[in-house]
């Protein structure tokens, strides 16, 4: 090749690279004027695209730059959190596009296309994307449904939220393109295309969204049972062994006009207290304030610890009712300890499209973040989220320190399961065809039960509960119930008996008693105990409901059976254990290594060396290194609560062990969290004593009274209130029997002065006495007051001779 041709080629390459640098996404570069057209090859020319303005942004799918690779490449992957095969209509998922080390990409395109569509119309695209980091991602200018990069730079990962479309769309293809210099990876199959289909509703009955209007008739009664499976075995990372628990469950059956909590909404104060403190008090108060919008308040006790074998403790449950206007059910419980993590159902619709009531609903649950606390571990210190964020599900990619973190972005293992079962229906049912045979039987039984031959003229009380059986053994005895005849409106019509008897046997003897011991379904079989030859496997189930008579369940809760793996075990083969857990990554940031081991259980019988690998090593990627790693001591134990009662804080510390020469360490060395002890006692508070009243006698022996008010009643064991009334004796001059006439004249003169509104004192003129105030108490002794104020002050008056006057007297002194 001549030097001139080489220079021309080099100039072409430089021009192409300059054009690429101006717009990172290669597909967008094709639209920029000045880029050499011979650098790219199109399945359709740009002129064709310009001639079809209705093609929307399908040009993304048609443009194929030279060097494009369509085969599968493992270094780039598109991953959807949660269920990889199905989506719940209207739900939001985190979508991650990432490259495995040492690969990277500079640009990308991400679209969500309805299966079988070519992208020529806006309605060909399914769901909506939501930007998480505006410095990393943005919507494409020439194709609004697509997401692309914001800035040109090397990157290994981007994340966006994708909200699934409404019900009825079917399958959706999430497709990504990756740009590396001139090479683009855009795949119709493989790791850069993800196919997800709409999830079928459970039992074919529950609706995806709350119905605008429920057409079912009558009412239905349900039992909701909560099965917690948050355990160290299923969720081993940082599992809090000592303090794990589920808080008290609080919820309600309610109308569509009331929202207890919802994904994408903000937590109320009641939801916040459940999620952070596990306290249901405020949320129950919020529910009860909704009046007719709520039919039943749902409450279940807290569980300490969060997990223990359910053949020892029955799962908590509660019963509630629904009707045509209040057919939604919501509840919430705290995962404790945690910053603000919780699980629950939100506005679950129990009304079917066929004007009936859902028979059964089973839902596995993962934790939700209430958006009020920014902690990332179970025992993170209290750190309020300001401003408050929206309620969202936790994901396995939230934070490397999260107990649910998975660098591959896999689904979080459910921490609980809720089962909602219909146990009764009342009132006339308007759906023509019953849900199933059990409904037919239930309806017939209900009709038979409601038949009563009692004359309308006989008014009875309700039947009392059945008495204990007269026999405590398995021999037949009798039990009795009774009712009271309250009125007989027609004496000519006899009223039936008021006592009822039926045969019975001692507890645990009848078949009916045995059926009250309800068992769960068997859990799947465990793996075989050996990897080759004959071994054993087991499965378990648990008690859903214990007998009402308090007897233990005799049905088995565990089964074992033999199992065979690889019957033809060669003499030279060896048996090894299962792989152990992966060690921690060797690096605290950036790229590192991790390893796991297993042991040889049985060497080859022929004496040869076991060929199975017992050590496995692979790469691990930690967050990018920004600071020099710190060497820290373990956290100390939490200190005692800073208070002896009420709300306080507690702290824990750790020490920096890294040498000072390595630089400043940004890791926190002290953590603080809230703690709650029983309420503090509050002592009684009283006001100051009033002034003593005047003597109740004008002569001879009398008494005076003063009182004080109770400002705050004692609470939580505080000191009781002291006395609020005191009396003391007073003695004025002896009463003179001969001066009655003079006394009457003095009293008449005093009344006359009061009536005239003048009371002359030295140097001032006073107004008339005001009327007596109302008595401060209705009984037990109170006080009344009246005032006399100065009307006019003369120049000769002195400060001490012209003051306002006040009189006090006792009232309502009779005991309460």
């Amino acid at each position: 090749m001549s030097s001139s041709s080489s220079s021309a080629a080099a100039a072409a390459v430089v021009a192409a690279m300059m054009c690429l640098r101006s717009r990172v996404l290669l597909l967008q570069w094709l639209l920029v004027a000045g880029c050499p057209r011979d650098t790219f090859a199109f399945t359709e020319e740009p002129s064709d695209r310009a001639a079809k303005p209705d093609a929307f942004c399908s040009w993304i799918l048609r443009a194929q730059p030279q060097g494009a690779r369509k085969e599968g490449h493992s270094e780039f992957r598109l991953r959807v959190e949660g269920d990889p095969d199905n989506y719940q209509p209207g739900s939001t998922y985190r979508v991650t596009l990432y490259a495995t080390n040492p690969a990277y990409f500079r640009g990308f395109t991400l679209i969500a296309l309805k299966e079988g569509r070519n992208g020529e119309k806006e309605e060909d695209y399914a769901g909506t994307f939501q930007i998480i980091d505006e410095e990393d991602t943005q919507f494409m200018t020439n194709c609004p449904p697509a997401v692309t990069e914001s800035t040109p730079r090397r990157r290994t990962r981007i994340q966006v939220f994708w909200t699934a479309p409404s019900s009825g769309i079917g399958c959706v293809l999430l497709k990504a393109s990756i740009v590396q210099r001139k090479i683009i990876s855009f795949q119709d199959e493989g790791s850069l295309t993800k196919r997800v289909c709409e999830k079928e509703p459970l039992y074919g009955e529950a609706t995806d969204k709350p119905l605008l209007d429920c057409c079912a008739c009558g009412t239905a009664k349900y039992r909701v049972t909560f099965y917690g499976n948050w355990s160290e075995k299923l969720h081993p990372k940082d599992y809090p062994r000592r303090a794990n628990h589920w808080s008290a469950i609080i919820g309600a059956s309610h109308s569509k006009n009331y929202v207890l909590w919802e994904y994408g909404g903000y937590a109320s104060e009641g939801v916040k207290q459940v999620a952070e403190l596990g306290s249901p008090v405020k949320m129950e108060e919020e529910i009860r304030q909704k009046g007719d919008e709520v039919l039943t308040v749902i409450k279940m006790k807290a569980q300490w610890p969060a997990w223990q074998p359910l053949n020892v403790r029955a799962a908590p449950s509660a019963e509630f009712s629904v009707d045509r206007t209040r057919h939604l059910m919501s509840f919430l419980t705290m995962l404790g300890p945690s910053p603000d993590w919780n699980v629950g159902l939100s506005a679950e619709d129990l009304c079917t499209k066929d004007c009936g009531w859902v028979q059964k609903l089973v839902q596995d649950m993962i934790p939700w973040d209430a958006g009020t606390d920014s902690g990332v571990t179970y025992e993170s210190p209290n750190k309020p989220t300001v401003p408050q964020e929206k309620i969202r599900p936790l994901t396995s990619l939230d934070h490397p320190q999260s107990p649910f973190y998975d660098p591959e972005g896999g689904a979080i293992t459910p921490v609980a399961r809720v089962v909602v079962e219909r146990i009764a229906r009342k009132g006339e049912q308007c759906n023509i065809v019953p849900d199933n045979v059990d409904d037919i039987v239930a309806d017939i039984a209900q009709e038979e039960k409601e038949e009563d031959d009692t004359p309308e003229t006989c008014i009875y009380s309700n039947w009392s509960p059945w008495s204990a059986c007269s026999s405590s053994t398995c021999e037949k005895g009798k039990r009795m119930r009774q009712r009271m005849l309250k009125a007989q409106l027609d004496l000519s019509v006899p009223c039936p008996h008021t006592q009822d008897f039926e045969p019975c046997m001692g507890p645990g003897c009848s078949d009916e008693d045995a059926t009250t011991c309800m068992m769960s379904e068997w859990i799947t079989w465990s793996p075989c105990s050996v990897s080759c030859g004959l071994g054993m496997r087991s499965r378990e189930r648990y008690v859903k409901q214990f007998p009402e008579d308090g007897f233990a369940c005799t049905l088995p809760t565990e089964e074992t059976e033999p199992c065979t793996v690889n019957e033809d075990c060669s003499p030279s083969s060896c048996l090894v254990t299962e792989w152990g857990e992966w060690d921690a990554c060797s690096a605290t940031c950036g790229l590192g290594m991790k390893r796991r081991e297993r042991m040889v259980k049985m060497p080859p019988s022929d004496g040869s060396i076991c060929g199975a690998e017992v050590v496995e090593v692979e790469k691990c990627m930690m967050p990018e290194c920004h600071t020099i790693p710190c060497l820290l001591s373990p956290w100390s134990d939490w200190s005692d609560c800073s208070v002896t009662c009420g709300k306080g804080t507690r702290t824990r510390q750790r020490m920096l062990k890294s040498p000072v020469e390595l630089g400043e360490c940004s890791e926190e060395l002290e953590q603080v969290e809230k703690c709650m002890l029983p309420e503090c006692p509050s002592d009684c508070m009283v006001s100051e004593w009033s002034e003593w009243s005047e003597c109740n006698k004008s002569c001879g022996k009398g008494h005076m009274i003063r009182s004080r008010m109770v400002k705050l009643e004692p609470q939580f064991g505080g000191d009781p209130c002291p006395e609020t009334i005191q009396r003391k004796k007073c003695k004025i001059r002896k009463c003179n029997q001969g001066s009655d006439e003079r006394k009457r004249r003095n009293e008449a003169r005093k009344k006359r002065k009061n009536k005239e509104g003048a009371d002359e004192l030295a140097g001032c003129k006073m107004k008339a006495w005001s009327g007596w105030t109302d008595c401060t108490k209705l009984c037990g002794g109170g006080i009344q007051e009246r005032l006399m104020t100065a009307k006019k002050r003369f120049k000769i008056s002195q400060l001490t001779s012209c003051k306002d006057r006040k009189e006090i007297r006792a009232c309502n002194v009779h005991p309460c």
Side-chain angles (χ1 to χ4, degrees):
M1 181 182 294
S2 64
S3 59
S4 60
S5 61
S6 299
S7 301
V13 171
V14 171
M17 293 302 295
M18 292 297 291
C19 188
L20 296 179
R21 186 171 299 176
S22 65
R23 299 292 290 261
V24 177
L25 181 61
L26 192 56
L27 297 177
Q28 286 180 298
W29 296 334
L30 306 183
L31 303 179
V32 180
C35 292
R37 290 179 177 271
D38 56 358
T39 306
F40 308 99
F42 293 86
T43 56
E44 295 185 31
E45 292 296 325
S47 59
D48 296 337
R49 182 171 69 248
K52 292 180 63 178
D54 61 337
F56 201 56
C57 48
S58 60
W59 54 271
I60 294 180
L61 302 175
R62 295 198 299 271
Q64 293 295 333
Q66 290 180 352
R69 301 182 296 187
K70 294 181 67 69
E71 295 78 13
H73 296 281
S74 59
E75 65 263 33
F76 303 115
R77 289 188 177 275
L78 179 67
R79 183 175 295 276
V80 180
E81 73 160 323
D83 189 351
D85 298 319
N86 302 100
Y87 67 85
Q88 185 73 34
S91 295
T92 300
Y93 301 87
R94 188 186 297 262
V95 179
T96 305
L97 182 62
Y98 66 96
T100 57
N101 191 70
Y104 65 89
F105 57 94
R106 295 181 182 274
F108 72 93
T109 306
L110 183 61
I111 60 173
L113 196 66
K114 296 177 184 177
E115 190 173 40
R117 303 294 183 92
N118 55 17
E120 293 185 352
K121 301 177 181 179
E122 185 175 0
E123 55 265 25
D124 290 352
Y125 296 84
T128 55
F129 287 108
Q130 179 182 344
I131 301 299
I132 297 178
D133 187 351
E134 293 182 353
E135 294 183 358
D136 227 20
T137 54
Q138 67 178 7
F139 291 104
M140 185 179 291
T141 305
N142 298 328
C143 180
V147 177
T148 185
E149 78 287 341
S150 298
T151 55
R153 65 178 179 85
R154 291 174 52 151
R155 52 172 55 81
T156 59
R157 178 187 299 264
I158 65 99
Q159 293 183 354
V160 295
F161 285 129
W162 176 68
T163 301
S166 58
S167 179
I169 298 300
C171 295
V172 176
L173 297 177
L174 291 163
K175 302 168 70 70
S177 64
I178 292 291
V179 177
Q180 288 180 302
R181 295 186 178 91
K182 284 187 180 182
I183 298 183
I184 180 170
S185 299
F186 190 93
Q187 296 173 253
D188 293 327
E189 302 291 342
S191 59
L192 287 181
T193 294
K194 185 69 179 176
R195 180 177 182 266
V196 288
C197 296
E198 181 178 350
K199 184 181 293 184
E200 291 293 330
L202 295 171
Y203 300 96
E205 291 181 311
T207 55
D208 295 324
K209 296 285 185 180
L211 297 176
L212 294 178
D213 292 300
C214 176
C215 58
C217 299
T219 63
K221 189 174 184 180
Y222 286 88
R223 177 184 293 112
V224 54
T225 307
F226 183 84
Y227 300 100
N229 58 356
W230 175 45
S231 64
E232 189 171 12
K233 182 178 180 181
L234 296 177
H235 309 86
K237 183 179 178 183
D238 300 332
Y239 187 77
R241 296 183 179 180
R242 292 180 297 175
N244 62 85
H245 67 281
W246 293 105
S247 74
I249 296 175
I250 183 67
S253 58
H254 57 92
S255 72
K256 59 185 177 65
N257 298 325
Y258 174 42
V259 178
L260 276 74
W261 71 277
E262 64 178 344
Y263 170 59
Y266 290 98
S268 66
E269 182 61 29
V271 172
K272 177 182 178 181
Q273 290 192 15
V274 171
E276 290 191 21
L277 305 175
S279 171
V281 177
K282 182 64 177 178
M283 190 168 175
E284 182 178 354
E285 178 184 329
E286 293 176 353
I287 292 172
R288 295 190 182 277
Q289 287 176 351
K290 292 300 175 179
D292 293 339
E293 301 296 336
V294 173
L295 182 59
T296 309
V297 177
I298 300 171
K299 298 166 67 175
M300 288 180 257
K301 292 183 178 179
Q303 300 175 72
W304 292 79
W307 182 91
Q308 68 183 52
L310 289 177
N311 58 348
V312 176
R313 179 197 65 202
S317 63
E319 295 180 359
F320 65 95
S321 298
V322 292
D323 59 19
R324 175 177 289 189
T325 59
R326 294 160 292 188
H327 51 94
L328 305 180
M329 187 273 280
S330 304
F331 76 86
L332 205 61
T333 179
M334 173 201 184
L335 181 82
S338 71
D340 59 347
W341 301 340
N342 55 88
V343 300
L345 290 180
S346 173
E348 193 67 38
D349 197 349
L350 299 176
C351 183
T352 70
K353 298 177 181 178
D354 301 322
C355 302
W357 298 109
V358 171
Q359 178 72 24
K360 186 176 183 180
L361 176 70
V362 179
Q363 183 72 48
D364 288 322
M365 293 183 289
I366 63 171
W368 292 77
D369 189 314
T372 61
D373 194 289
S374 300
V376 295
T377 65
Y378 289 126
E379 297 184 296
S380 291
N382 183 48
K383 186 179 180 182
T385 302
V386 181
Q388 183 174 336
E389 296 179 353
K390 294 181 179 180
I391 299 173
R392 65 170 184 86
L394 293 180
T395 74
S396 60
L397 295 172
D398 283 338
H399 195 281
Q401 294 182 2
S402 167
F404 306 107
Y405 180 71
D406 178 6
E408 297 295 320
I412 292 179
T413 303
V415 296
R417 169 176 288 185
V418 65
V419 178
V420 182
E421 298 175 283
R422 196 182 73 209
I423 56 177
R425 294 193 306 184
K426 295 182 179 179
E428 180 182 355
Q429 302 302 314
C430 51
N431 53 335
I432 300 174
V433 180
D435 295 335
N436 51 40
V437 176
D438 292 337
D439 289 338
I440 300 174
V441 175
D443 292 341
I444 294 175
Q446 184 177 2
E447 291 176 3
E448 292 176 351
K449 184 177 179 180
E450 290 175 355
E451 290 181 2
D452 192 356
D453 56 357
T454 301
E456 295 181 356
T457 56
C458 299
I459 309 300
Y460 288 95
S461 65
N462 293 329
W463 284 107
S464 68
W466 286 103
S467 67
C469 189
S470 61
S471 172
S472 59
T473 66
C474 289
E475 296 182 358
K476 287 189 176 181
K478 286 186 178 182
R479 62 177 183 174
M480 179 194 73
R481 64 176 182 174
Q482 57 187 359
R483 59 182 177 179
M484 182 185 300
L485 179 62
K486 301 172 69 175
Q488 186 173 359
L489 305 181
D490 188 351
L491 297 178
S492 63
V493 178
C495 290
H497 56 274
T498 57
Q499 290 184 333
D500 191 13
F501 297 88
E502 72 172 17
C504 62
M505 290 187 290
C509 296
S510 66
D511 293 337
E512 293 181 358
D513 291 340
T515 60
T516 59
C517 184
M518 294 177 58
M519 307 296 293
S520 70
E521 298 295 329
W522 286 104
I523 300 174
T524 55
W525 289 102
S526 66
C528 197
S529 60
V530 297
S531 57
C532 181
L534 183 63
M536 298 295 291
R537 65 176 185 172
S538 63
R539 65 176 183 175
E540 298 178 349
R541 62 179 178 176
Y542 49 83
V543 179
K544 292 177 65 177
Q545 179 177 321
F546 286 91
E548 295 180 358
D549 56 11
F551 279 68
C553 285
T554 57
L555 300 175
T557 58
E558 185 176 359
E559 283 186 350
T560 58
E561 69 175 18
C563 55
T564 303
V565 181
N566 189 12
E567 294 182 359
D568 299 329
C569 293
S570 62
S572 60
S573 63
C574 58
L575 298 181
V576 294
T577 63
E578 296 292 329
W579 285 106
E581 297 292 333
W582 286 103
D583 293 339
C585 192
S586 61
T588 57
C589 62
L591 181 63
M593 303 295 292
K594 62 181 181 179
R595 68 193 299 270
R596 63 178 181 175
E597 297 179 355
R598 60 181 175 180
M599 300 180 62
V600 178
K601 295 173 61 177
M602 182 183 297
S605 58
D606 58 3
S608 60
I609 298 176
C610 183
E613 292 185 0
V614 294
V615 177
E616 193 173 48
V617 180
E618 72 173 25
K619 298 177 182 178
C620 53
M621 191 70 184
M622 301 299 287
E624 295 182 7
C625 299
H626 297 294
T627 60
I628 297 174
C630 307
L631 185 60
L632 301 167
S633 69
W635 285 107
S636 67
D637 292 333
W638 286 105
S639 67
D640 293 333
C641 198
S642 61
V643 296
T644 57
C645 59
K647 294 181 180 179
T649 59
R650 60 176 187 171
T651 60
R652 64 176 182 177
Q653 296 85 24
R654 58 182 176 181
M655 298 179 61
L656 177 64
K657 299 168 68 176
S658 303
V660 179
E661 297 78 31
L662 293 180
E664 183 180 354
C665 180
S666 60
E667 295 289 335
E668 58 182 357
L669 301 179
E670 184 176 37
Q671 290 183 342
V672 182
E673 74 170 10
K674 293 182 289 189
C675 51
M676 185 74 180
L677 295 177
E679 293 287 348
C680 298
S682 176
D683 298 336
C684 177
M685 291 181 61
V686 295
S687 64
E688 296 294 330
W689 286 106
S690 66
E691 294 182 5
W692 287 102
S693 67
E694 291 185 356
C695 192
N696 67 335
K697 297 288 183 67
S698 59
C699 62
K701 295 181 180 180
H703 66 269
M704 297 186 294
I705 294 177
R706 69 173 181 177
S707 64
R708 56 184 173 182
M709 305 287 293
V710 175
K711 298 171 63 177
L712 180 64
E713 295 288 346
Q715 293 183 330
F716 309 112
D719 293 338
C721 293
E723 62 179 355
T724 56
I725 297 177
Q726 286 185 346
R727 301 169 184 245
K728 72 176 182 179
K729 296 179 180 179
C730 55
K731 185 175 181 181
I732 307 179
R733 59 182 176 78
K734 292 183 179 181
C735 295
N736 189 348
Q737 296 289 337
S739 62
D740 290 342
E741 184 62 27
R742 185 169 62 254
K743 182 172 66 175
R744 282 196 297 271
R745 287 198 302 270
N746 291 337
E747 287 178 355
R749 184 165 54 254
K750 183 183 292 185
K751 289 181 181 179
R752 188 168 60 255
K753 286 185 177 181
N754 288 341
K755 186 174 181 182
E756 292 174 354
D759 190 352
E760 297 291 340
L761 295 176
C764 64
K765 188 174 184 180
M766 307 297 290
K767 293 182 181 179
W769 284 103
S770 66
W772 290 103
T773 61
D774 294 337
C775 191
T776 57
K777 288 190 176 182
L778 297 177
C779 58
I783 59 172
Q784 291 177 294
E785 296 179 352
R786 68 173 182 173
L787 297 174
M788 176 186 288
T789 58
K791 183 176 181 182
K792 185 177 180 181
R793 303 177 188 271
F794 301 109
K795 293 182 180 181
I796 60 172
S797 64
Q798 297 180 0
L799 295 177
T800 57
S801 63
C802 193
K803 288 186 176 181
D804 294 342
R805 297 173 61 188
K806 179 170 70 172
E807 286 187 350
I808 299 175
R809 70 179 182 183
C811 57
N812 294 338
V813 295
H814 58 278
C816 295

